[in-house]
Amino acid sequence: GPGLNQFLSKKQKPRPRAVKSQTFAGQRNPAYISAHPAARTEVLTPRNQKVESGTEDGGAAERGDRLRLPHETDHLREKLLDIFADQALKVDFVLQSEPYTRDLNKLSDLILNLKF
């Protein structure tokens, strides 16, 4: 594109006008639609950000075939908060994302690898 001084000068060439077309309320004029769509920001939730289990068998050996019971989750949460005192959000996120995992070391590793 032009340099800043050239861009700001009054000697610019007139831009060609877009072809007039009929528009309807709430719709953009097709002559002004960008060839590149606007970027979209995706909102991620804990369900979207599934933490990978990291074992070759998909974590079946460490998670068993059943969900953790509420008292097991509470016990793991207490233990994890002893280790990660000021990181309750990360602890809760990992416990929610990994409802089958009971291994304290595995859960700790997942917390350490979170990037938020």
Side-chain angles (χ1 to χ4, degrees):
L4 183 59
N5 290 335
Q6 184 181 3
F7 179 76
L8 295 175
S9 73
K10 302 261 181 188
K11 299 177 185 177
Q12 294 180 21
K13 295 179 183 178
R15 294 199 305 184
R17 296 248 177 207
V19 177
K20 289 191 175 194
S21 64
Q22 184 177 6
T23 61
F24 299 95
Q27 295 182 351
R28 293 170 34 169
N29 185 335
Y32 294 105
I33 294 176
S34 171
H36 303 286
R40 294 189 177 128
T41 303
E42 182 179 352
V43 178
L44 296 177
T45 62
R47 195 171 293 166
N48 297 114
Q49 293 183 349
K50 177 75 173 112
V51 180
E52 296 299 324
S53 62
T55 59
E56 292 177 16
D57 63 352
E62 69 180 328
R63 72 175 188 220
D65 291 327
R66 63 177 178 85
L67 291 170
R68 276 190 315 263
L69 297 173
H71 75 273
E72 291 175 310
T73 301
D74 291 341
H75 178 73
L76 287 168
R77 186 175 191 278
E78 287 176 21
K79 294 284 190 185
L80 290 167
L81 287 174
D82 287 344
I83 300 166
F84 303 99
D86 295 329
Q87 299 183 30
L89 182 66
K90 287 184 177 185
V91 168
D92 292 339
F93 178 83
V94 168
L95 287 171
Q96 185 177 16
S97 298
E98 293 289 328
Y100 295 94
T101 306
R102 293 174 179 80
D103 182 356
L104 190 62
N105 290 325
K106 178 63 179 170
L107 293 168
S108 296
D109 184 54
L110 292 169
I111 291 168
L112 289 171
N113 289 318
L114 280 178
K115 303 213 183 336
F116 69 84

